[in-house]
Every structure is written in structure tokens, then in C-alpha cells.
Amino acid sequence: MTQPPPPARRTPLSRDRVLRAAVALADRTGIDALSMRKLAQELGVVPMALYKHVANKDQLLDGMVDFVLGEIGPPAPGPDWQSAVRARILAARSALLGHTWAATVVRSRTAPTPALLAYTDSLIGLFRTGGFSVDLTHHAMHALGSRLLGFTQELFDDSPGPAPADPAVLRAMAANYPHIAELAMAAAHDEKSVVGPGCDDQFEFEFALDLLLDGLERLRRRGWSSVG
Amino acid sequence: MTQPPPPARRTPLSRDRVLRAAVALADRTGIDALSMRKLAQELGVVPMALYKHVANKDQLLDGMVDFVLGEIGPPAPGPDWQSAVRARILAARSALLGHTWAATVVRSRTAPTPALLAYTDSLIGLFRTGGFSVDLTHHAMHALGSRLLGFTQELFDDSPGPAPADPAVLRAMAANYPHIAELAMAAAHDEKSVVGPGCDDQFEFEFALDLLLDGLERLRRRGWSSVG
DNA sequence: ACCTGAACACCGTTCAAGT
DNA sequence: ACCTGAACACCGTTCAAGT
């Protein structure tokens, strides 16, 4: 006659709760350690329960991207298109930098999510109201690419390793790659660097961004057109 | 007394043979279908046999990248730094485009491989002999990033799907994302596009590349310095 | 000493059996 | 109708047993 105790159900699962847990888990343990099984365990739930709220893992990752993009906030009006676009891109950058895995996951997506479409649409709007033709806006969007979200793909991770390598190895490096060695030496002694010896990612990002935005402004003023 | 027939050994395994088979398999079946187990099967070998020639799968992928980079060929001298750099980057691009998986795999690598270091070194050399300071060269390399290898990360894949979607969906898209719709309409009707309606990737790549190279040349002429 | 089959510790997802 | 445990079809890699 005694009924079994009701299962100690936590607040019922929802898509939102699944996504929040996934973001938190990825923040804590890294994106490689995020699996459907571990996420289910985290939520005190059997793996298959997740599939009621996300169709599959790809859709989970899409949702996580949208969650982060939601932290960007609305565009702030600027005195001109260039500072408005610049501010918006840097806002996206700081949102993505808040989650170490975010840029990696965005890179792996191919289909746009609603938040990404909305963000893209707002940026196109900034160009158009700033006096860009449809044609030039189109090429500007392609030229900026992932930089619109505040990150870039570097050739390789050039942050200096924890310990300087074996001197013999270093000497061999310098002999084989003299130009790289010259750059590395200069960067290592760079006083202005914020992060100590090595490269200041934020400076490099803004340097490249301004190079592109300045170039685009020059084309706009010139009335550039790809069909001309 | 009858000896067992000698095992019908194919030419013995070597690192080079493993890498060539991996490249061929990835070319044929895509990078997602490339597993250590399938590669071993392709070579008529037990999976563990591969581990004598590559330490693990990461090192296999590194080797594959180096194989593709080896197809770039040596730098050709140009009349000026800008055309020399441009030609070298476009050569890298065409090498990578020969393997659909190459850009994806390069993106996933973090440590540089010998061929990538050699390529990077040669590009730095082109800047330096072209009159760039160490400082400006450093920032130029960061600004170009993966574009040095001839590819960029787009925000999302905007190539038009095979069939135009449900008209109701299209109308909803246009209502929610008016600026994107405007661009998409213009691109779809673009006569000059090489690939039919849609975007001409090669044009977009060169547009952005020239925007950056032109900007860098302007900085070089001005004697720009980050510590100034 | 060398080689390798079986095993380990995972995956994402399907599916049928249970309530 | 709903839920879920077990199973399926894979992974990369370790390791001990066999030659």
C-alpha cells in the first residue's frame, strides 16, 4: 500500500535549462569534455531525456552559440558608421571572450542561428545607413568574416610555452627559421605588451580591424563598385 | 613440414605511405570519415600498426597538413613586396582548395608543423626585404592570420541551398532580417558572379586580401610604428 | 624484441520493451 | 502515450599475451 516515494524530481527540464547547463559545463570543463552523456549526468537525468529538448548534439551547440550571442546587447548609435560598427564588433568580442570555447564552437557551425542572423542583420544595417551601397556592404561583410564576431583564425598559437625550450632546440629553430626568430625575439622584449612577453591579442585584433574599416571607408568615399 | 605461405605483405608501411593514404582517404570520403581504424583497413593493416609511424591521430593530421603545404612550391620573386606576397598567398590558396578538408584541418591545429613554419618564415622574409620593419611585419602577420594560407572563416555558409525554401519561410526571413534579404536578393541577381547566383569566393578573398595589403603598404610608406 | 588481438573507456543515437 | 534502459555502431588508445 505504501506508494514509492515520488522521484526527487528537480525542476523539470526545458530547452533553456539544458542550454544553460551546457554553457556552464563547457565553461567549467572545456568544450572537449562536453558530451550528451556528461550533460545529462550533470542535470541528474538519463541521456535520452535531453533529446526531447534538442534534436541532437549539433542543435545543442547551435543553442549554446545563440546563448552567448544573446549577451551582446543591442547596438548603440555612434556618430558615424565606423565607430558604430567598431563598437558593436568589440562588444561581440568581449561576449565571446567570456566563454573560452565560444569561438571554437562558432567556427564549427555552418548554418546560421536566429541570434547570428539578427546580429548580422544589425551590422548590415549599420553599413547601409552609413552610406554603403548594397554592393560594397556585401563585400565588406565577406571581408570581415568571423572578425564581425570579434575573433580571427591565427596561423598557429604563438603564445610562448611555459618554459623556454632546450637551448639547442632554440638554436636549431633560429637557424632554420631566421625570420621567425627575429620576430619572436622582438616580441619577447616588447615593453608595451599588456600580457608580458608575447603578443597582445586585443591590440592585434584592433589593428587588423581598423586596417579593414579604414580601407572600407576609403572605398565608400571613392564611390567604389565591383561592377564599375 | 609445409611452411605456411608467407603473408601477402604489401609494400611495408612507412610514415610517408601512411600520410599519403590518409590524404587520399580524406579526399575521397571526407575528413569526418577519416578514422585510425578506417585508415588501417585501407592499408590492409591492423589499427595498432599505424602507431609505429604516427604517435596519435593529432600527429597524423599534422602530417596531412604538411603534405598539403608541401604542394605550395617555392616563392617566386616579384617586382615588389605586395605582388610577391599576393602571389604566394594565392598559391597557398590553390593548394589548399585542392583538398576540401585542408582548411578545416588547419583550423583545428594549434601547434605549428615544419612546413607551416617554413612557409611562415618565407612570408616574413618577403615583408622584411620589401622594406617592412620588424614591428610592422609582426602586426601584418597577425592581421592576415589564416588568410596567409589562402582561406578565411566566414560567419556562416551563405551558399544558396539546392532548392529555394518554402515561400512562406522566405517571406518570414525577409520580414525578420530585412537587411540580409536585401543583400541576398542583390547577390542572387548578380550577373558577374562566376559561380552563378551566389557569391564568388575567389573574388571575395582577393577583395579582402587587397584591402589589407593596400592598407599595409600605406602604413609602410608612412613609416608607421606601434610604439610611436 | 616485436607484433597484435582483445579490451578499455568512452561517444551519439536508435529502438524496443516497459509502465 | 510517454519514458528510458539496453543496445548499436562506432571512436582513439592501452596493454598484456603470444610469437
Short mmCIF file of all heavy atoms in Angstrom, two decimals, chain A residues 107 110 117 121 128 138-139 142-143 146-147 149 153-158 177-180 182 199 203-204 207 218 224, chain B residues 107 110 117 121 128 138-139 142-143 146-147 149 153-158 177-180 182 199 203-204 207 218 224:
data_model
loop_
_atom_site.label_atom_id
_atom_site.label_comp_id
_atom_site.label_asym_id
_atom_site.label_seq_id
_atom_site.Cartn_x
_atom_site.Cartn_y
_atom_site.Cartn_z
N ARG A 107 33.13 28.59 -34.97
CA ARG A 107 33.89 28.14 -36.15
C ARG A 107 33.35 26.84 -36.70
O ARG A 107 33.42 26.59 -37.89
CB ARG A 107 35.36 27.93 -35.76
CG ARG A 107 36.26 29.08 -36.11
CD ARG A 107 37.71 28.64 -36.07
NE ARG A 107 38.20 28.47 -34.71
CZ ARG A 107 38.73 29.45 -34.00
NH1 ARG A 107 38.84 30.65 -34.50
NH2 ARG A 107 39.18 29.23 -32.78
N THR A 110 27.99 25.71 -39.40
CA THR A 110 27.89 26.16 -40.79
C THR A 110 26.55 26.86 -41.04
O THR A 110 26.48 27.79 -41.82
CB THR A 110 28.03 24.98 -41.77
OG1 THR A 110 26.98 24.04 -41.51
CG2 THR A 110 29.37 24.29 -41.59
N LEU A 117 21.78 35.51 -37.19
CA LEU A 117 21.12 36.24 -38.28
C LEU A 117 20.75 37.64 -37.83
O LEU A 117 20.95 38.62 -38.57
CB LEU A 117 19.87 35.48 -38.74
CG LEU A 117 20.14 34.22 -39.58
CD1 LEU A 117 18.88 33.39 -39.75
CD2 LEU A 117 20.72 34.60 -40.95
N ASP A 121 22.19 40.98 -39.41
CA ASP A 121 21.26 41.96 -39.98
C ASP A 121 21.54 43.35 -39.40
O ASP A 121 21.54 44.34 -40.13
CB ASP A 121 19.83 41.54 -39.67
CG ASP A 121 18.83 42.26 -40.56
OD1 ASP A 121 18.77 41.92 -41.76
OD2 ASP A 121 18.14 43.17 -40.05
N ARG A 128 24.62 50.14 -44.17
CA ARG A 128 23.70 50.76 -45.14
C ARG A 128 23.35 52.18 -44.73
O ARG A 128 23.39 53.08 -45.55
CB ARG A 128 22.44 49.89 -45.27
CG ARG A 128 22.69 48.51 -45.88
CD ARG A 128 22.99 48.60 -47.37
NE ARG A 128 21.78 48.86 -48.13
CZ ARG A 128 21.64 49.86 -49.00
NH1 ARG A 128 22.63 50.71 -49.20
NH2 ARG A 128 20.51 50.01 -49.65
N HIS A 138 28.01 44.20 -49.11
CA HIS A 138 28.16 42.76 -49.30
C HIS A 138 29.63 42.34 -49.21
O HIS A 138 29.98 41.41 -48.47
CB HIS A 138 27.56 42.38 -50.65
CG HIS A 138 27.62 40.92 -50.96
ND1 HIS A 138 27.36 40.40 -52.20
CD2 HIS A 138 27.91 39.86 -50.17
CE1 HIS A 138 27.50 39.08 -52.17
NE2 HIS A 138 27.82 38.72 -50.95
N HIS A 139 30.47 43.03 -49.94
CA HIS A 139 31.89 42.66 -49.92
C HIS A 139 32.51 42.96 -48.58
O HIS A 139 33.40 42.24 -48.11
CB HIS A 139 32.62 43.39 -51.05
CG HIS A 139 32.10 43.04 -52.41
ND1 HIS A 139 31.98 41.74 -52.85
CD2 HIS A 139 31.61 43.81 -53.41
CE1 HIS A 139 31.46 41.72 -54.07
NE2 HIS A 139 31.22 42.96 -54.44
N HIS A 142 31.82 40.06 -46.25
CA HIS A 142 32.68 38.92 -46.53
C HIS A 142 34.11 39.20 -46.07
O HIS A 142 34.77 38.32 -45.51
CB HIS A 142 32.68 38.60 -48.03
CG HIS A 142 31.55 37.73 -48.46
ND1 HIS A 142 31.45 36.41 -48.10
CD2 HIS A 142 30.45 37.99 -49.19
CE1 HIS A 142 30.35 35.88 -48.62
NE2 HIS A 142 29.71 36.82 -49.28
N ALA A 143 34.57 40.41 -46.32
CA ALA A 143 35.96 40.74 -45.97
C ALA A 143 36.18 40.64 -44.46
O ALA A 143 37.24 40.21 -44.00
CB ALA A 143 36.33 42.13 -46.47
N SER A 146 34.57 36.29 -39.89
CA SER A 146 34.40 35.99 -38.47
C SER A 146 34.85 37.16 -37.59
O SER A 146 34.53 37.21 -36.41
CB SER A 146 35.16 34.73 -38.09
OG SER A 146 36.54 35.00 -38.01
N ARG A 147 35.58 38.07 -38.16
CA ARG A 147 36.01 39.24 -37.39
C ARG A 147 34.81 40.06 -36.95
O ARG A 147 34.89 40.82 -35.98
CB ARG A 147 36.97 40.10 -38.22
CG ARG A 147 37.95 40.89 -37.41
CD ARG A 147 38.88 41.72 -38.28
NE ARG A 147 39.80 40.92 -39.04
CZ ARG A 147 40.98 40.51 -38.59
NH1 ARG A 147 41.35 40.81 -37.37
NH2 ARG A 147 41.77 39.79 -39.35
N LEU A 149 32.42 38.95 -35.45
CA LEU A 149 32.08 38.44 -34.12
C LEU A 149 33.22 38.65 -33.13
O LEU A 149 33.13 38.23 -31.98
CB LEU A 149 31.71 36.97 -34.18
CG LEU A 149 30.29 36.66 -34.64
CD1 LEU A 149 30.06 35.16 -34.73
CD2 LEU A 149 29.27 37.28 -33.67
N GLN A 153 41.08 33.72 -37.02
CA GLN A 153 41.87 32.50 -37.02
C GLN A 153 43.32 32.86 -37.24
O GLN A 153 43.67 33.41 -38.27
CB GLN A 153 41.37 31.59 -38.15
CG GLN A 153 42.17 30.32 -38.31
CD GLN A 153 41.83 29.32 -37.23
OE1 GLN A 153 40.69 29.18 -36.86
NE2 GLN A 153 42.84 28.63 -36.74
N GLU A 154 44.16 32.56 -36.27
CA GLU A 154 45.58 32.77 -36.47
C GLU A 154 46.17 31.54 -37.15
O GLU A 154 45.55 30.48 -37.20
CB GLU A 154 46.28 32.98 -35.12
CG GLU A 154 45.82 34.22 -34.37
CD GLU A 154 46.49 35.50 -34.87
OE1 GLU A 154 47.56 35.40 -35.49
OE2 GLU A 154 45.95 36.59 -34.63
N LEU A 155 47.38 31.70 -37.67
CA LEU A 155 48.02 30.56 -38.33
C LEU A 155 48.32 29.46 -37.34
O LEU A 155 48.13 28.29 -37.60
CB LEU A 155 49.33 31.00 -38.99
CG LEU A 155 49.22 31.41 -40.44
CD1 LEU A 155 50.60 31.53 -41.04
CD2 LEU A 155 48.39 30.40 -41.23
N PHE A 156 48.82 29.84 -36.18
CA PHE A 156 49.03 28.87 -35.11
C PHE A 156 49.15 29.65 -33.82
O PHE A 156 49.31 30.88 -33.82
CB PHE A 156 50.27 28.00 -35.34
CG PHE A 156 51.52 28.75 -35.70
CD1 PHE A 156 52.31 29.33 -34.74
CD2 PHE A 156 51.88 28.89 -37.04
CE1 PHE A 156 53.46 30.02 -35.08
CE2 PHE A 156 53.03 29.60 -37.39
CZ PHE A 156 53.83 30.16 -36.41
N ASP A 157 49.04 28.96 -32.72
CA ASP A 157 49.11 29.59 -31.42
C ASP A 157 50.56 29.94 -31.12
O ASP A 157 51.38 29.07 -30.89
CB ASP A 157 48.56 28.63 -30.36
CG ASP A 157 48.62 29.24 -28.96
OD1 ASP A 157 48.93 30.45 -28.85
OD2 ASP A 157 48.34 28.51 -28.00
N ASP A 158 50.87 31.23 -31.11
CA ASP A 158 52.26 31.62 -30.92
C ASP A 158 52.54 32.13 -29.50
O ASP A 158 53.57 32.75 -29.26
CB ASP A 158 52.69 32.67 -31.96
CG ASP A 158 51.84 33.93 -31.83
OD1 ASP A 158 50.88 33.92 -31.04
OD2 ASP A 158 52.15 34.91 -32.52
N TYR A 177 64.65 28.93 -39.23
CA TYR A 177 63.61 29.93 -39.48
C TYR A 177 64.08 31.29 -38.99
O TYR A 177 63.57 31.83 -38.01
CB TYR A 177 62.31 29.53 -38.79
CG TYR A 177 61.92 28.09 -39.00
CD1 TYR A 177 61.93 27.17 -37.96
CD2 TYR A 177 61.55 27.63 -40.27
CE1 TYR A 177 61.58 25.84 -38.15
CE2 TYR A 177 61.19 26.30 -40.47
CZ TYR A 177 61.21 25.41 -39.41
OH TYR A 177 60.86 24.10 -39.62
N PRO A 178 65.04 31.87 -39.68
CA PRO A 178 65.68 33.10 -39.17
C PRO A 178 64.69 34.27 -39.04
O PRO A 178 64.79 35.05 -38.10
CB PRO A 178 66.76 33.40 -40.23
CG PRO A 178 66.32 32.64 -41.45
CD PRO A 178 65.61 31.42 -40.96
N HIS A 179 63.76 34.36 -39.96
CA HIS A 179 62.83 35.50 -39.91
C HIS A 179 61.85 35.37 -38.75
O HIS A 179 61.51 36.34 -38.10
CB HIS A 179 62.09 35.62 -41.24
CG HIS A 179 62.97 35.94 -42.40
ND1 HIS A 179 63.19 35.07 -43.43
CD2 HIS A 179 63.70 37.04 -42.66
CE1 HIS A 179 64.03 35.62 -44.30
NE2 HIS A 179 64.34 36.82 -43.87
N ILE A 180 61.39 34.13 -38.51
CA ILE A 180 60.52 33.92 -37.36
C ILE A 180 61.28 34.24 -36.08
O ILE A 180 60.75 34.90 -35.17
CB ILE A 180 60.02 32.45 -37.32
CG1 ILE A 180 59.07 32.18 -38.49
CG2 ILE A 180 59.33 32.16 -35.98
CD1 ILE A 180 58.58 30.76 -38.57
N GLU A 182 63.71 36.29 -35.61
CA GLU A 182 63.85 37.75 -35.46
C GLU A 182 62.59 38.37 -34.87
O GLU A 182 62.64 39.16 -33.93
CB GLU A 182 64.16 38.38 -36.83
CG GLU A 182 64.46 39.86 -36.77
CD GLU A 182 64.55 40.50 -38.16
OE1 GLU A 182 63.79 40.10 -39.07
OE2 GLU A 182 65.35 41.42 -38.33
N CYS A 199 52.37 38.34 -27.40
CA CYS A 199 51.58 39.25 -28.21
C CYS A 199 50.35 39.71 -27.43
O CYS A 199 49.79 38.99 -26.63
CB CYS A 199 51.15 38.57 -29.49
SG CYS A 199 52.57 37.93 -30.42
N PHE A 203 45.32 44.16 -28.99
CA PHE A 203 45.94 45.14 -29.89
C PHE A 203 45.94 44.62 -31.33
O PHE A 203 45.57 45.34 -32.26
CB PHE A 203 47.38 45.46 -29.44
CG PHE A 203 48.06 46.45 -30.34
CD1 PHE A 203 47.95 47.80 -30.10
CD2 PHE A 203 48.79 46.02 -31.44
CE1 PHE A 203 48.56 48.74 -30.94
CE2 PHE A 203 49.40 46.94 -32.29
CZ PHE A 203 49.28 48.30 -32.03
N GLU A 204 46.35 43.37 -31.50
CA GLU A 204 46.41 42.81 -32.86
C GLU A 204 45.03 42.79 -33.49
O GLU A 204 44.87 43.07 -34.68
CB GLU A 204 46.99 41.39 -32.83
CG GLU A 204 48.36 41.25 -32.19
CD GLU A 204 49.45 42.07 -32.85
OE1 GLU A 204 49.23 42.58 -33.96
OE2 GLU A 204 50.52 42.24 -32.22
N PHE A 207 44.11 46.35 -34.45
CA PHE A 207 44.97 46.79 -35.56
C PHE A 207 44.39 46.32 -36.89
O PHE A 207 44.20 47.10 -37.83
CB PHE A 207 46.38 46.25 -35.36
CG PHE A 207 47.32 46.50 -36.52
CD1 PHE A 207 47.99 47.71 -36.63
CD2 PHE A 207 47.54 45.52 -37.48
CE1 PHE A 207 48.86 47.95 -37.69
CE2 PHE A 207 48.40 45.75 -38.55
CZ PHE A 207 49.06 46.98 -38.65
N ARG A 218 37.57 54.33 -47.14
CA ARG A 218 38.20 54.95 -48.32
C ARG A 218 37.42 54.55 -49.59
O ARG A 218 37.17 55.38 -50.45
CB ARG A 218 39.66 54.47 -48.40
CG ARG A 218 40.60 55.46 -49.04
CD ARG A 218 42.05 55.09 -48.82
NE ARG A 218 42.50 55.37 -47.48
CZ ARG A 218 42.89 54.46 -46.59
NH1 ARG A 218 42.90 53.19 -46.90
NH2 ARG A 218 43.28 54.82 -45.39
N TRP A 224 33.31 53.39 -54.69
CA TRP A 224 33.76 52.13 -55.29
C TRP A 224 32.59 51.21 -55.61
O TRP A 224 31.62 51.14 -54.85
CB TRP A 224 34.71 51.44 -54.32
CG TRP A 224 35.28 50.14 -54.82
CD1 TRP A 224 36.46 49.96 -55.48
CD2 TRP A 224 34.70 48.84 -54.68
NE1 TRP A 224 36.65 48.64 -55.76
CE2 TRP A 224 35.59 47.93 -55.29
CE3 TRP A 224 33.53 48.37 -54.13
CZ2 TRP A 224 35.33 46.56 -55.34
CZ3 TRP A 224 33.26 47.00 -54.18
CH2 TRP A 224 34.16 46.12 -54.78
N ARG B 107 42.61 24.70 -39.42
CA ARG B 107 41.92 25.45 -38.37
C ARG B 107 41.99 24.72 -37.03
O ARG B 107 41.99 25.35 -35.98
CB ARG B 107 40.45 25.63 -38.74
CG ARG B 107 40.12 26.98 -39.32
CD ARG B 107 38.62 27.20 -39.29
NE ARG B 107 37.91 26.41 -40.29
CZ ARG B 107 37.69 26.80 -41.53
NH1 ARG B 107 38.12 27.97 -41.93
NH2 ARG B 107 37.03 26.05 -42.38
N THR B 110 46.85 23.61 -33.48
CA THR B 110 47.33 24.75 -32.71
C THR B 110 48.85 24.86 -32.76
O THR B 110 49.39 25.95 -32.77
CB THR B 110 46.89 24.65 -31.23
OG1 THR B 110 47.42 23.45 -30.67
CG2 THR B 110 45.37 24.60 -31.13
N LEU B 117 55.94 26.33 -40.50
CA LEU B 117 56.98 27.26 -40.05
C LEU B 117 57.80 27.77 -41.23
O LEU B 117 58.10 28.96 -41.32
CB LEU B 117 57.89 26.57 -39.02
CG LEU B 117 57.28 26.36 -37.64
CD1 LEU B 117 58.14 25.44 -36.80
CD2 LEU B 117 57.09 27.70 -36.92
N ASP B 121 58.01 31.56 -42.35
CA ASP B 121 59.31 32.22 -42.43
C ASP B 121 59.51 32.89 -43.78
O ASP B 121 60.00 34.02 -43.86
CB ASP B 121 60.41 31.18 -42.17
CG ASP B 121 61.74 31.84 -41.80
OD1 ASP B 121 61.84 32.34 -40.67
OD2 ASP B 121 62.65 31.87 -42.65
N ARG B 128 60.03 41.64 -44.93
CA ARG B 128 61.25 42.31 -44.46
C ARG B 128 62.07 42.87 -45.62
O ARG B 128 62.50 44.02 -45.56
CB ARG B 128 62.10 41.34 -43.64
CG ARG B 128 61.44 40.89 -42.34
CD ARG B 128 61.41 41.98 -41.28
NE ARG B 128 62.72 42.20 -40.70
CZ ARG B 128 63.35 43.38 -40.68
NH1 ARG B 128 62.78 44.43 -41.24
NH2 ARG B 128 64.52 43.49 -40.11
N HIS B 138 55.39 42.14 -37.88
CA HIS B 138 54.73 41.34 -36.84
C HIS B 138 53.22 41.57 -36.87
O HIS B 138 52.43 40.62 -36.89
CB HIS B 138 55.32 41.71 -35.48
CG HIS B 138 54.75 40.95 -34.34
ND1 HIS B 138 54.95 41.30 -33.03
CD2 HIS B 138 53.95 39.86 -34.31
CE1 HIS B 138 54.30 40.45 -32.25
NE2 HIS B 138 53.69 39.57 -33.00
N HIS B 139 52.82 42.83 -36.88
CA HIS B 139 51.39 43.12 -36.86
C HIS B 139 50.73 42.71 -38.18
O HIS B 139 49.57 42.26 -38.20
CB HIS B 139 51.16 44.60 -36.58
CG HIS B 139 51.71 45.03 -35.26
ND1 HIS B 139 51.37 44.40 -34.07
CD2 HIS B 139 52.61 45.98 -34.91
CE1 HIS B 139 52.02 44.97 -33.07
NE2 HIS B 139 52.79 45.93 -33.56
N HIS B 142 49.91 39.01 -37.99
CA HIS B 142 48.72 38.77 -37.18
C HIS B 142 47.45 39.21 -37.92
O HIS B 142 46.43 38.53 -37.88
CB HIS B 142 48.82 39.51 -35.85
CG HIS B 142 49.57 38.75 -34.80
ND1 HIS B 142 49.07 37.61 -34.21
CD2 HIS B 142 50.79 38.96 -34.25
CE1 HIS B 142 49.95 37.16 -33.32
NE2 HIS B 142 51.01 37.95 -33.33
N ALA B 143 47.53 40.35 -38.58
CA ALA B 143 46.34 40.89 -39.25
C ALA B 143 45.88 39.95 -40.36
O ALA B 143 44.68 39.79 -40.60
CB ALA B 143 46.63 42.28 -39.81
N SER B 146 45.00 33.53 -40.82
CA SER B 146 44.84 32.35 -41.69
C SER B 146 44.74 32.75 -43.16
O SER B 146 44.89 31.90 -44.03
CB SER B 146 43.60 31.57 -41.29
OG SER B 146 42.43 32.24 -41.72
N ARG B 147 44.50 34.01 -43.42
CA ARG B 147 44.45 34.47 -44.81
C ARG B 147 45.80 34.26 -45.48
O ARG B 147 45.88 34.19 -46.71
CB ARG B 147 44.05 35.94 -44.85
CG ARG B 147 43.33 36.33 -46.13
CD ARG B 147 42.94 37.79 -46.15
NE ARG B 147 41.91 38.12 -45.19
CZ ARG B 147 40.61 37.99 -45.42
NH1 ARG B 147 40.19 37.54 -46.59
NH2 ARG B 147 39.73 38.32 -44.50
N LEU B 149 47.33 31.65 -45.56
CA LEU B 149 47.26 30.33 -46.21
C LEU B 149 46.16 30.28 -47.25
O LEU B 149 45.90 29.25 -47.85
CB LEU B 149 47.03 29.23 -45.16
CG LEU B 149 48.27 28.77 -44.41
CD1 LEU B 149 47.89 27.74 -43.35
CD2 LEU B 149 49.29 28.17 -45.38
N GLN B 153 37.67 32.50 -42.31
CA GLN B 153 36.48 31.98 -41.66
C GLN B 153 35.32 32.93 -41.94
O GLN B 153 35.37 34.10 -41.56
CB GLN B 153 36.73 31.90 -40.15
CG GLN B 153 35.54 31.47 -39.34
CD GLN B 153 35.30 29.99 -39.46
OE1 GLN B 153 36.24 29.21 -39.51
NE2 GLN B 153 34.04 29.61 -39.52
N GLU B 154 34.30 32.43 -42.60
CA GLU B 154 33.11 33.25 -42.80
C GLU B 154 32.21 33.10 -41.58
O GLU B 154 32.37 32.19 -40.77
CB GLU B 154 32.36 32.79 -44.06
CG GLU B 154 33.15 32.96 -45.35
CD GLU B 154 33.09 34.39 -45.87
OE1 GLU B 154 32.16 35.13 -45.48
OE2 GLU B 154 33.98 34.77 -46.66
N LEU B 155 31.23 33.98 -41.47
CA LEU B 155 30.31 33.89 -40.33
C LEU B 155 29.47 32.64 -40.42
O LEU B 155 29.22 31.96 -39.45
CB LEU B 155 29.39 35.11 -40.31
CG LEU B 155 29.86 36.27 -39.46
CD1 LEU B 155 28.73 37.25 -39.29
CD2 LEU B 155 30.34 35.78 -38.11
N PHE B 156 28.98 32.36 -41.61
CA PHE B 156 28.27 31.11 -41.85
C PHE B 156 28.28 30.85 -43.34
O PHE B 156 28.60 31.74 -44.13
CB PHE B 156 26.84 31.14 -41.30
CG PHE B 156 26.05 32.36 -41.69
CD1 PHE B 156 25.39 32.43 -42.92
CD2 PHE B 156 25.97 33.44 -40.83
CE1 PHE B 156 24.67 33.55 -43.26
CE2 PHE B 156 25.24 34.57 -41.18
CZ PHE B 156 24.59 34.64 -42.39
N ASP B 157 27.96 29.64 -43.71
CA ASP B 157 27.95 29.26 -45.12
C ASP B 157 26.71 29.86 -45.77
O ASP B 157 25.59 29.44 -45.51
CB ASP B 157 27.92 27.73 -45.22
CG ASP B 157 27.90 27.28 -46.67
OD1 ASP B 157 28.06 28.13 -47.56
OD2 ASP B 157 27.73 26.07 -46.90
N ASP B 158 26.92 30.85 -46.66
CA ASP B 158 25.77 31.52 -47.26
C ASP B 158 25.52 31.08 -48.70
O ASP B 158 24.79 31.74 -49.43
CB ASP B 158 25.94 33.03 -47.20
CG ASP B 158 27.18 33.48 -47.96
OD1 ASP B 158 27.94 32.62 -48.41
OD2 ASP B 158 27.37 34.70 -48.11
N TYR B 177 14.68 39.80 -41.12
CA TYR B 177 16.05 40.23 -41.39
C TYR B 177 16.07 41.01 -42.70
O TYR B 177 16.60 40.53 -43.72
CB TYR B 177 16.98 39.02 -41.47
CG TYR B 177 16.80 38.04 -40.32
CD1 TYR B 177 16.27 36.76 -40.54
CD2 TYR B 177 17.14 38.38 -39.02
CE1 TYR B 177 16.11 35.86 -39.50
CE2 TYR B 177 16.97 37.50 -37.97
CZ TYR B 177 16.46 36.24 -38.22
OH TYR B 177 16.29 35.36 -37.18
N PRO B 178 15.51 42.21 -42.69
CA PRO B 178 15.34 42.95 -43.95
C PRO B 178 16.66 43.26 -44.64
O PRO B 178 16.75 43.21 -45.87
CB PRO B 178 14.63 44.23 -43.51
CG PRO B 178 14.88 44.35 -42.04
CD PRO B 178 14.99 42.95 -41.53
N HIS B 179 17.70 43.56 -43.86
CA HIS B 179 18.97 43.91 -44.48
C HIS B 179 19.64 42.71 -45.13
O HIS B 179 20.23 42.82 -46.20
CB HIS B 179 19.89 44.55 -43.44
CG HIS B 179 19.38 45.84 -42.90
ND1 HIS B 179 18.98 46.00 -41.59
CD2 HIS B 179 19.17 47.04 -43.50
CE1 HIS B 179 18.57 47.25 -41.41
NE2 HIS B 179 18.67 47.90 -42.55
N ILE B 180 19.53 41.57 -44.47
CA ILE B 180 20.08 40.35 -45.08
C ILE B 180 19.33 40.04 -46.36
O ILE B 180 19.94 39.69 -47.39
CB ILE B 180 19.97 39.15 -44.11
CG1 ILE B 180 20.89 39.35 -42.90
CG2 ILE B 180 20.30 37.84 -44.82
CD1 ILE B 180 20.79 38.24 -41.86
N GLU B 182 17.86 42.06 -48.37
CA GLU B 182 18.26 42.99 -49.44
C GLU B 182 19.56 42.53 -50.09
O GLU B 182 19.69 42.49 -51.31
CB GLU B 182 18.44 44.39 -48.84
CG GLU B 182 18.71 45.47 -49.88
CD GLU B 182 19.09 46.81 -49.24
OE1 GLU B 182 19.74 46.81 -48.17
OE2 GLU B 182 18.73 47.84 -49.81
N CYS B 199 27.77 33.83 -54.19
CA CYS B 199 28.95 34.65 -54.05
C CYS B 199 30.14 33.98 -54.74
O CYS B 199 30.26 32.77 -54.79
CB CYS B 199 29.27 34.87 -52.58
SG CYS B 199 27.88 35.57 -51.68
N PHE B 203 36.66 36.00 -55.66
CA PHE B 203 36.60 37.47 -55.69
C PHE B 203 36.61 38.03 -54.28
O PHE B 203 37.35 38.97 -53.99
CB PHE B 203 35.36 37.95 -56.44
CG PHE B 203 35.25 39.44 -56.49
CD1 PHE B 203 35.83 40.16 -57.53
CD2 PHE B 203 34.59 40.15 -55.49
CE1 PHE B 203 35.76 41.54 -57.57
CE2 PHE B 203 34.51 41.53 -55.51
CZ PHE B 203 35.10 42.24 -56.57
N GLU B 204 35.78 37.47 -53.40
CA GLU B 204 35.71 37.98 -52.03
C GLU B 204 37.05 37.83 -51.33
O GLU B 204 37.46 38.72 -50.58
CB GLU B 204 34.62 37.24 -51.23
CG GLU B 204 33.24 37.27 -51.84
CD GLU B 204 32.66 38.66 -52.01
OE1 GLU B 204 33.21 39.61 -51.44
OE2 GLU B 204 31.66 38.79 -52.75
N PHE B 207 39.41 40.48 -52.75
CA PHE B 207 38.96 41.81 -52.32
C PHE B 207 39.50 42.12 -50.92
O PHE B 207 40.10 43.16 -50.67
CB PHE B 207 37.43 41.86 -52.33
CG PHE B 207 36.84 43.12 -51.75
CD1 PHE B 207 36.69 44.25 -52.54
CD2 PHE B 207 36.43 43.18 -50.42
CE1 PHE B 207 36.15 45.43 -52.01
CE2 PHE B 207 35.89 44.35 -49.88
CZ PHE B 207 35.76 45.48 -50.69
N ARG B 218 50.31 51.34 -47.23
CA ARG B 218 50.14 52.74 -46.82
C ARG B 218 50.88 52.99 -45.49
O ARG B 218 51.57 53.99 -45.33
CB ARG B 218 48.64 53.04 -46.68
CG ARG B 218 48.27 54.47 -46.94
CD ARG B 218 46.77 54.64 -47.07
NE ARG B 218 46.25 54.16 -48.34
CZ ARG B 218 45.43 53.12 -48.49
NH1 ARG B 218 45.00 52.45 -47.45
NH2 ARG B 218 45.05 52.76 -49.70
N TRP B 224 54.96 53.84 -40.29
CA TRP B 224 54.14 53.56 -39.10
C TRP B 224 54.89 52.69 -38.10
O TRP B 224 55.62 51.77 -38.47
CB TRP B 224 52.86 52.85 -39.54
CG TRP B 224 51.91 52.52 -38.42
CD1 TRP B 224 50.87 53.28 -37.99
CD2 TRP B 224 51.90 51.34 -37.61
NE1 TRP B 224 50.21 52.66 -36.97
CE2 TRP B 224 50.82 51.47 -36.71
CE3 TRP B 224 52.70 50.21 -37.55
CZ2 TRP B 224 50.53 50.48 -35.76
CZ3 TRP B 224 52.41 49.24 -36.60
CH2 TRP B 224 51.33 49.38 -35.73
#
